[in-house]
Each structure stands twice: as C-alpha cells, then as structure tokens.
Amino acid sequence: MENPSPAAALGKALCALLLATLGAAGQPLGGESVCSARAPAKYSITFTGKWSQTAFPKQYPLFRPPAQWSSLLGAAHSSDYSMWRKNQYVSNGLRDFAERGEAWALMKEIEAAGEALQSVHAVFRRPPSPAAPGRRRRSWRCSVSFVVRIVPSPDWFVGVDSLDLCDGDRWREQAALDLYPYDAGTDSGFTFSSPNFATIPQDTVTEITSSSPSHPANSFYYPRLKALPPIARVTLVRLRQSPRAFIPPAPVLPSRDNEIVDSASVPETPLDCEVSLWSSWGLCGGPCGRLGTKSRTRYVRVQPANNGSPCPELEEEAECVPDNCV
C-alpha cells in the first residue's frame, strides 16, 4: 500500500521529461492516417481528482485507509504499444498495480516493450496523494497512456489508453478528458474495502457504471443516476517553452486531508436510504378474548445523503390472536 504525500495532492509540480524526438508517430489505432508532424511537441498533463464524499457518498472511505490516489504511472509511446485497453486482459504488471499499487513489474513490462518494439519513449511516475480534488503535472513529447489506482479498492483504477495527440500534420493544442472508474478484471470484490477475492478465470477490463455491476452492495451502484459523475479529469496542454528552459514549480499548497476544496463545483450525488429485510414477527401478546398485537423490525443499512430518499419506518405492528393469553 502506498503512503500518500499530502503535498502532492494540491501542489502543482511541472516536471520536464526530455524524451526522444518524435517525427512520425506511426500508424495510429483504428487505421487513421500516419502522423506527419515533424517538429517535436511537448505537453503538460494535469490530473485533477474529483473523488469526494459529496460526489460519491456511498461507502466513501474515511479511514484505514482513507480515500486516496496511488502513484500516477504512464508511458509516452507510439501507436503500436498498449498499456491497457477496455475489453482486453491486463498484464501481470498492471494486475499488481491495480490490486496492490505495486509499480515495479509494470514499469519493467513497459521498459521491455520499449526495447522490443522501439515504441515506448519514456516511462513517467508521480507520487501518490489523497483523494481531495487536486492536481499533478508532467510533460512529454508523444502519445500517452497512464493509470492511477483507486485506493482502497479491489482492482479499480482510472486512466487513459493511447491518447493520440497528433492531428494529421500538426499536434493538438490541448485535450481534456473526464475519467471514470475501471475494473481490471482480476478481483471480484464489490466494495472499496472488500477482501481479496481473485476472479477465476480472469476477466477483461470493464468500465464501472452507476448500474454495472448491478448489485446493491457495489460501491459505485447508484440506480437513480443515468451515469456516474467523473471521478477525475485530465487536461493536456501543448507547451511552447524551449526544451532547455527552466520551468519553476508552482508553490505547494497546504493539504486539507480528504475534504473537498471547492464544494460549489462538486456535484451532489443523491444516496437513498437502504434498509434490511423485515425480521420475523414476534410473539402475539394480549388479554384473552381480545385481539393482541405482534411486531417486527428492520434496520438501516445505508443512511441517506445529499437529498436522497429518507428511511421508511423501522418497526411495524399488526393485530393477531394471542398465543398465550393472560
């Protein structure tokens, strides 16, 4: 398990990553035209976490461990390399990263692919941070893939798969993507704090939605929503600085643990009350010759939040004929 760096959550550190010059990026995925941009491009990436108790109130982790993000691990590469892909199986390295946050095997896989395919130009990594909305930046000169583990979780992550920054003969000036949770398909846990429960046989990468997995125990199960709000956002901006220019880091802002920074910009996701099934009816009590009463109870499993449906009555009585009248 990673130890989060509070300063990394809200601080903005722009780190220059000098990579091999990319002229033509090769044949993009989907059979699109070859990138013919000649001059190398350099981008900054800003990862903004939006995971908060307001946007995702159900089972939001408050301790042991609290909600947080793992290291951001990615690669600058051309189109013939894939770190991960929806509806495909993850590698052993990505499985270790998604389940336990261990990055060593995944970094070795990326480096090995770079040596074999000559398509991975660099590997980059950013320290972990709490889940409070905050930003982290890096820069590079190529297409990009990255993953960030959701902590705690069975094998859930967010990320970008092979984002092509080349548009014909020029580089895109900017790109912004909302990020949603994915299941790596290696652990069958339903909740953030589920114990290890290996998926056998291994499944493919699937997007987690408000209705899938369709189980009330799932931490992202919000049947009233058509879609989950984004749990993070990534913004890429083309830089104009010289590769040799010094880029001073932005001042580090103080940490506020896992509390949201700007509640006005965070959507409130309604969470309905959930109750248990009714218990068995109790004994019927009352005087002889008259109707008596019996009762049953249920308890609250999930407290409502953000104007969700309130809890119903937790106790119910009914008339009955006394079993042992007095």
Side-chain angles (χ1 to χ4, degrees), residues 37-228:
R38 295 187 177 182
K42 186 177 181 183
Y43 289 81
S44 71
I45 174 174
T46 302
F47 177 90
T48 305
K50 294 178 176 289
W51 186 20
S52 70
Q53 193 171 8
T54 302
F56 298 91
K58 187 174 183 180
Q59 303 168 5
Y60 183 79
L62 295 173
F63 55 90
R64 297 182 181 180
Q68 57 191 271
W69 300 104
S70 76
S71 301
L72 183 152
L73 180 60
H77 60 87
S78 53
S79 60
D80 53 354
Y81 170 77
S82 174
M83 177 183 292
W84 67 277
R85 186 145 298 155
K86 185 178 178 180
N87 298 324
Q88 293 189 10
Y89 296 102
V90 300
S91 65
N92 291 335
L94 189 49
R95 178 199 61 202
D96 292 347
F97 185 80
E99 290 187 6
R100 300 185 295 274
E102 298 175 359
W104 183 86
L106 180 56
M107 293 179 69
K108 288 297 182 182
E109 289 177 355
I110 298 172
E111 292 171 357
E115 294 176 358
L117 301 176
Q118 298 297 309
S119 60
V120 177
H121 303 288
V123 181
F124 55 90
R125 187 179 182 186
R126 192 79 177 100
S129 71
R135 301 178 179 180
R136 47 179 106 174
R137 290 184 178 180
R138 292 200 76 93
S139 57
W140 68 90
R141 300 171 181 254
C142 191
S143 300
V144 66
S145 296
F146 72 81
V147 288
V148 181
R149 181 180 179 238
I150 298 172
V151 182
S153 75
D155 60 342
W156 302 339
F157 68 94
V158 298
V160 166
D161 168 32
S162 303
L163 178 62
D164 188 2
L165 295 173
C166 183
D167 184 11
D169 61 351
R170 65 184 63 186
W171 297 105
R172 296 169 64 181
E173 293 299 319
Q174 62 180 5
L177 299 173
D178 287 329
L179 304 181
Y180 299 89
Y182 281 90
D183 188 319
T186 62
D187 191 296
S188 297
F190 271 140
T191 67
F192 293 119
S193 57
S194 292
N196 292 333
F197 183 34
T199 302
I200 301 176
Q202 180 177 332
D203 204 351
T204 58
V205 175
T206 55
E207 183 176 353
I208 301 173
T209 69
S210 60
S211 58
S212 178
S214 58
H215 194 291
N218 187 270
S219 294
F220 287 110
Y221 184 71
Y222 294 94
R224 289 180 57 181
L225 300 182
K226 292 183 178 179
L228 290 174

